[in-house]
Amino acid sequence: MLLAGPAGREMARKMSNLLGVKVLEVEHKLFPDGESYVRFPGSVEGEDVVVIQGTHPPQDRHLIQAFLIGRNAKELGARTVSLVSPYLAYARQDKRFLEGEAVSILTILHLIKQSGYDKVYTVNIHSPWIASESPIPLINVRAEGALAAHLLELGMEKPLIVSVGKKGSEMAEAVARVLGSDYAAAESRRDRVTGKVEVSMGRVSAKTAVVVDDIISTGGTMAEVVRALKQMGVEKVYASCIHALLVRGAEDKIMGAGAERIIASDTIPNEYAEFTVAGVLSEAITR
Ligand code: R5P
């Protein structure tokens, strides 16, 4: 049974069509003081429940809703409860980068476990290795194939694929392999205190390039890579990602740097969502 949280309704509908299983939509409201309320309008007793609830902004509210739903499902007799959070909040704080910092993602995973969940599915988590330290089974579903298939559908002929940072290289290589494209890497360095990003990359020559990154947040990194490619004479540069957070004027920065357009998935509801991860998530759940 799919249980659609307030931040997962659209994805649950898509997955329900693919999986042919019913969806129960969780009722929710906010109390006048801002606290969350949830109620299940049907029984979950004896079911293997898959909760679809994104934890994109506002992350803290969406996480609390996920916690309330998980515990409620267990208390009301669900056999197993899994959480599908296509974008998992706090995943980028996976280390103590500065002395004294909290490793936020591990706390979040502990809280998910404590809320009655047996398993968590997410898409292209920022650091896949975190699964080995997670207190709860964490299934990292990869969406590079869905992105590559979409680029093929757009009729792009062997665009140069450009990765961002070390972590992005595996992802971009996978996309390049499917497209039979050449592949180049851009290095990015972020100042931990000011947040300013610097990008460096070797010379490339191409008519069309697609920059592939896991996340676009403030757009600073993507804009720098797009700018560098435009300065090297690349005619068309597409800015693609799996998770489009797009905060603080990210679109303007990226388009201002000369991008043709932004191409994103639907892990986070956004106006640039051109391809869906519902298929890869449904396959993972079925497996
Ligand atoms: C970094 O490791 C990630 O892959 C992204 O490049 C980064 O999170 C993007 O952040 P922003 O859009 O704020 O530059």
Side-chain angles (χ1 to χ4, degrees), residues 259-273:
E260 287 301 306
R261 71 167 195 259
I262 298 169
I263 297 173
S265 87
D266 58 353
T267 55
I268 298 170
N270 75 92
E271 61 178 290
Y272 304 96

Side-chain angles (χ1 to χ4, degrees), residues 70-143:
R71 186 85 253 149
N72 202 33
K74 264 287 158 73
E75 285 175 7
L76 293 174
R79 205 170 72 99
T80 61
V81 189
S82 303
L83 174 65
V84 172
S85 190
Y87 171 75
L88 191 57
Y90 291 93
R92 283 184 293 172
Q93 187 71 37
D94 53 19
K95 266 190 216 145
R96 260 181 201 103
F97 299 99
L98 297 176
E99 203 181 328
E101 284 181 346
V103 185
S104 312
I105 185 60
L106 288 179
T107 300
I108 296 300
L109 289 165
H110 274 285
L111 288 168
I112 292 172
K113 184 178 180 194
Q114 290 305 314
S115 304
Y117 290 101
D118 300 294
K119 230 187 248 185
V120 187
Y121 294 84
T122 190
V123 178
N124 285 72
I125 193 162
H126 189 61
S127 298
W129 55 261
I130 204 77
S132 64
E133 290 185 25
S134 174
I136 176 168
L138 173 64
I139 295 107
N140 181 37
V141 178
R142 309 201 61 141

